[in-house]
Amino acid sequence: MRAVAVALLLTMPMAMAQTALAPARIPNLPALGGTESQDLSPLMERKLGEEIMRDIRRDRDYLDDGPILEYMNNFGNALVDARKDARGEAKYDYFFFVVRDPQLNAFALPGGFIAVHSALLLQAQTESELASVLGHEIGHVVQRHIARSIGQQKQDALIPLAAMILAALTARQGGDAAMGVFLGGQGLAIQRQLNFGRDAEREADRIGFQIMGAAGFDTSGMVAFFQQMQASTRNYSDLVPAWLLTHPLTSERIADIQARIREQPYRQRPDSLDFFLVRSRARVLQDQSANGYGEAKAFFESQMLQDSWQQKAAGQYGMAFLTMKQGDTAAAQKWLTQAQETVNRPPPAGVFGASPRSKAESIFAATSIEIKLAQTDNKEVLAKAAAEAEAAHQKFPLSRGIAHQYGEALIAAGKLDEAGAYLRDQVQLYREDIEAYDLLAQVYSKQGKLALQHIALAESYNLQGGVMAALDQLSYARKAPDASFYDQSLIDAREREWQARRREEMADKGKKELGESRPAFKLEMKSDQDGKDDGFNANNPFDRIRKLTDPLQQGPSVR
């Protein structure tokens, strides 16, 4: 009987090892998952991602910049749309954004939220390099690596349990054999998690390679960027033994992609002007201290000396954005005009471009309005801003940044009735547009409509995850002297809905706290196996993200 029990316990890890990742199918992306991913359904993944995003949007390092967000989402969703199966079985609605961080990195959250560090955006020299990073992260999402990792951890919790039982049986024989068996079981569980992470990275590389190739990008951009990352971490990552890394060695990943590139025809894709202008904005926003502004100015001055019209225009545009941030709107307008002239200037005689020049009209229009809105004391300029914003909104109706600017311009120009009508339409069309609700609250405040002001603020707070603050605003709205019967009805409906949701969230939170008493269900794992302080701050959303997306990361890398 004892021999049978020991045999069963020893074969348990081998059975669990059969959950290894399957190879990608070509030409279609693989639809992997298995039973281990069922612990976190696509709906729960999205809900978890949205909860994390609420924290991120409130963090000062979240770059809530209209042109940057618009570019990243247009660019990222173009990659996704190049392969219909890139949205996965769950049909993810992707959202791409940038966070201020000096490390070369990117991460994918559950449910299709993908972030790029500002340093990585600045380091990427071409759109193909940026596409390689986003394609890699899309691979993590479509393969549901987070859900599968949670399922894997849940299964691996049985290994130490089996080792503990086996150790108890071995302890009857005396000696140190029992401790050896127990520690061996723990080591196997940790090693399986490390192996899963490395396999997931290889899989994401392969899928990212397929996606960027289907979108028409130069696939050698993936190698070029991996080489840059290898250079930035040369003194660290390649000195760590491969079996201790959650990511494969950078040199190994480069070799794998280079082998795949040999089988692909060479293609060259010109970079859009939007890419260079967005990087100029990110450079200014990266460090808004006096020293940071000084370094940005020196970079733009050097950039303007280059022969490339794109680099020259990006330097002039960067100076326009920088001087606007410093409060010199006259200089900002001058630099913006120079940048537009550089873009519109025909190429020199005898020089023919391979493709028409991109104009980046949306970014230039948004920046022109931005400069005018900064002149808050000049009514004539604010009126021009409203006219420009209206024309830009008609020309670029899908631009959320310009849509918000139009609302701001109408308010700044004193056209409150027009602004109220426009913003009410916007919140009906885009029910999760937090900024539109905030602007609508400003309109109602200036009009003295207290009940409607508090209702608009309640909607904004609710979308940001502040249910209690939203309920407080509804209470203020109910007591407002101008609250109509219709307003009271709306308040009652919203109050019932949000209170019910809060009760549900509190119940979920209680279940989660009970579950966290069992290590197998935790999303976080200490990165320092020796028990030292790893610098983790539970109040910092980015620390929590790093724990969630890469619980055993040994060094900075694109994941």
Side-chain angles (χ1 to χ4, degrees), residues 20 108 208 220 246 280 330 349 354 441 533 544 555:
S220 65
T246 57
S280 294
D533 180 19
R544 297 203 300 275

Side-chain angles (χ1 to χ4, degrees), residues 143-211:
Q143 294 303 94
R144 304 192 63 212
H145 283 151
I146 293 177
R148 293 162 62 193
S149 177
I150 292 173
Q152 181 85 0
Q153 290 181 37
K154 191 173 181 180
Q155 291 186 21
D156 288 346
L158 298 176
I159 297 177
L161 178 63
M164 193 187 315
I165 298 173
L166 184 57
L169 296 174
T170 309
R172 299 176 183 177
Q173 300 177 358
D176 296 330
M179 182 59 68
V181 170
F182 178 65
L183 293 178
Q186 286 188 319
L188 178 60
I190 294 172
Q191 185 60 52
R192 278 171 50 81
Q193 285 298 313
L194 290 169
N195 291 341
F196 182 92
R198 290 196 293 266
D199 289 342
E201 292 304 314
R202 294 187 186 97
E203 187 175 79
D205 285 346
R206 292 193 291 268
I207 292 174
F209 182 85
Q210 294 179 39
I211 289 174

